[in-house]
Amino acid sequence: MSTIIADNLTGKTAAGNVTVTSEGGAATFQLQQGLAKAWVVYEFSSGITTFDSFSVSSMTDAGTGLATVNFTNSYGNAHYAMAGCSSGGTGNSLFNIIQNSGSSNVDNGTREDRETCTTVMGDLA
Protein backbone atom coordinates (compact mmCIF):
# COMPACT_ATOMS: atom_id res chain seq x y z
CA MET A 1 0.00 0.00 0.00
CA SER A 2 1.23 3.51 -0.82
CA THR A 3 0.86 6.63 1.28
CA ILE A 4 0.38 10.08 -0.20
CA ILE A 5 1.47 12.98 1.98
CA ALA A 6 0.56 16.38 0.54
CA ASP A 7 -0.59 19.84 1.56
CA ASN A 8 -2.52 20.45 -1.67
CA LEU A 9 -4.22 18.40 -4.37
CA THR A 10 -4.35 19.98 -7.81
CA GLY A 11 -5.98 18.40 -10.84
CA LYS A 12 -3.82 17.75 -13.91
CA THR A 13 -6.42 19.04 -16.44
CA ALA A 14 -7.71 21.90 -14.28
CA ALA A 15 -6.77 22.99 -10.76
CA GLY A 16 -10.14 22.06 -9.21
CA ASN A 17 -10.59 18.87 -11.23
CA VAL A 18 -9.61 15.90 -9.05
CA THR A 19 -11.44 12.73 -10.13
CA VAL A 20 -12.12 9.90 -7.67
CA THR A 21 -13.05 6.39 -8.86
CA SER A 22 -15.74 4.50 -6.94
CA GLU A 23 -14.94 1.44 -4.84
CA GLY A 24 -16.22 -0.87 -7.60
CA GLY A 25 -14.50 1.12 -10.34
CA ALA A 26 -17.70 1.67 -12.34
CA ALA A 27 -18.23 5.35 -11.52
CA THR A 28 -16.20 8.51 -11.01
CA PHE A 29 -16.97 11.85 -9.36
CA GLN A 30 -15.19 15.10 -8.66
CA LEU A 31 -13.59 15.13 -5.20
CA GLN A 32 -14.76 18.65 -4.31
CA GLN A 33 -18.39 17.71 -5.11
CA GLY A 34 -18.42 15.05 -2.38
CA LEU A 35 -17.11 17.17 0.49
CA ALA A 36 -19.22 18.79 3.20
CA LYS A 37 -18.70 22.54 2.79
CA ALA A 38 -20.03 23.44 6.25
CA TRP A 39 -21.47 21.77 9.36
CA VAL A 40 -22.45 22.76 12.88
CA VAL A 41 -23.64 21.07 16.08
CA TYR A 42 -25.52 23.37 18.44
CA GLU A 43 -28.30 23.64 20.98
CA PHE A 44 -30.78 26.30 21.95
CA SER A 45 -30.49 27.33 25.59
CA SER A 46 -30.76 31.02 26.47
CA GLY A 47 -29.55 31.74 22.96
CA ILE A 48 -27.45 29.34 20.90
CA THR A 49 -24.57 27.26 22.22
CA THR A 50 -22.29 25.96 19.44
CA PHE A 51 -20.45 22.75 20.34
CA ASP A 52 -18.44 22.40 17.15
CA SER A 53 -18.53 23.69 13.58
CA PHE A 54 -16.74 23.99 10.28
CA SER A 55 -17.07 26.98 7.92
CA VAL A 56 -19.80 28.61 10.05
CA SER A 57 -19.04 32.21 11.04
CA SER A 58 -21.96 32.75 13.42
CA MET A 59 -25.52 31.77 14.24
CA THR A 60 -28.60 33.77 15.14
CA ASP A 61 -31.40 32.63 17.45
CA ALA A 62 -34.48 33.32 15.33
CA GLY A 63 -37.06 32.13 17.88
CA THR A 64 -38.03 28.92 19.64
CA GLY A 65 -36.48 26.00 17.76
CA LEU A 66 -35.35 28.21 14.88
CA ALA A 67 -31.80 29.29 14.01
CA THR A 68 -30.11 31.10 11.15
CA VAL A 69 -26.68 29.77 10.12
CA ASN A 70 -24.18 32.27 8.70
CA PHE A 71 -21.47 30.68 6.58
CA THR A 72 -17.79 31.63 6.45
CA ASN A 73 -17.63 31.09 2.67
CA SER A 74 -20.10 32.18 0.01
CA TYR A 75 -21.84 29.60 -2.16
CA GLY A 76 -21.84 29.77 -5.96
CA ASN A 77 -25.63 29.99 -6.02
CA ALA A 78 -28.69 29.56 -3.81
CA HIS A 79 -29.05 25.86 -4.73
CA TYR A 80 -27.18 23.90 -2.10
CA ALA A 81 -28.26 20.93 -0.01
CA MET A 82 -28.67 20.95 3.75
CA ALA A 83 -29.34 17.97 5.99
CA GLY A 84 -29.95 18.02 9.70
CA CYS A 85 -31.17 16.25 12.78
CA SER A 86 -32.25 17.10 16.28
CA SER A 87 -32.41 15.16 19.53
CA GLY A 88 -33.91 15.34 22.99
CA GLY A 89 -37.08 17.25 23.72
CA THR A 90 -40.52 15.88 24.50
CA GLY A 91 -41.53 14.14 21.26
CA ASN A 92 -40.23 12.62 18.06
CA SER A 93 -37.79 14.81 16.17
CA LEU A 94 -38.67 16.40 12.86
CA PHE A 95 -36.02 18.67 11.41
CA ASN A 96 -37.02 21.22 8.79
CA ILE A 97 -34.47 22.85 6.52
CA ILE A 98 -34.95 26.33 5.13
CA GLN A 99 -32.08 27.90 3.22
CA ASN A 100 -29.53 29.18 5.78
CA SER A 101 -31.86 28.08 8.61
CA GLY A 102 -32.70 25.00 10.56
CA SER A 103 -35.69 24.42 12.79
CA SER A 104 -36.27 21.67 15.31
CA ASN A 105 -39.86 20.49 15.59
CA VAL A 106 -41.61 17.77 17.58
CA ASP A 107 -43.97 15.35 15.84
CA ASN A 108 -46.97 17.67 16.23
CA GLY A 109 -45.18 20.43 14.28
CA THR A 110 -44.50 22.68 17.29
CA ARG A 111 -41.01 24.18 17.37
CA GLU A 112 -38.92 23.21 20.36
CA ASP A 113 -35.39 24.12 21.47
CA ARG A 114 -33.16 21.03 21.09
CA GLU A 115 -29.64 19.93 20.32
CA THR A 116 -29.36 20.12 16.54
CA CYS A 117 -26.84 19.46 13.77
CA THR A 118 -26.73 20.72 10.18
CA THR A 119 -24.51 19.72 7.24
CA VAL A 120 -24.26 21.67 3.98
CA MET A 121 -23.20 20.38 0.53
CA GLY A 122 -22.91 22.57 -2.56
CA ASP A 123 -20.63 24.58 -4.81
CA LEU A 124 -18.63 27.34 -3.18
CA ALA A 125 -18.19 30.62 -5.04
Side-chain angles (χ1 to χ4, degrees), residues 82-122:
M82 296 179 74
C85 63
S86 61
S87 64
T90 59
N92 296 326
S93 297
L94 171 65
F95 188 81
N96 295 332
I97 298 289
I98 305 166
Q99 185 177 339
N100 263 29
S101 303
S103 66
S104 175
N105 298 335
V106 294
D107 53 4
N108 65 6
T110 304
R111 284 193 190 120
E112 188 174 286
D113 289 344
R114 297 174 171 216
E115 184 172 328
T116 305
C117 65
T118 303
T119 302
V120 183
M121 309 290 274

Side-chain angles (χ1 to χ4, degrees), residues 44 47-48 60-68 102-104 111-114:
F44 302 92
I48 294 178
T60 304
D61 189 337
T64 302
L66 185 61
T68 301
S103 66
S104 175
R111 284 193 190 120
E112 188 174 286
D113 289 344
R114 297 174 171 216

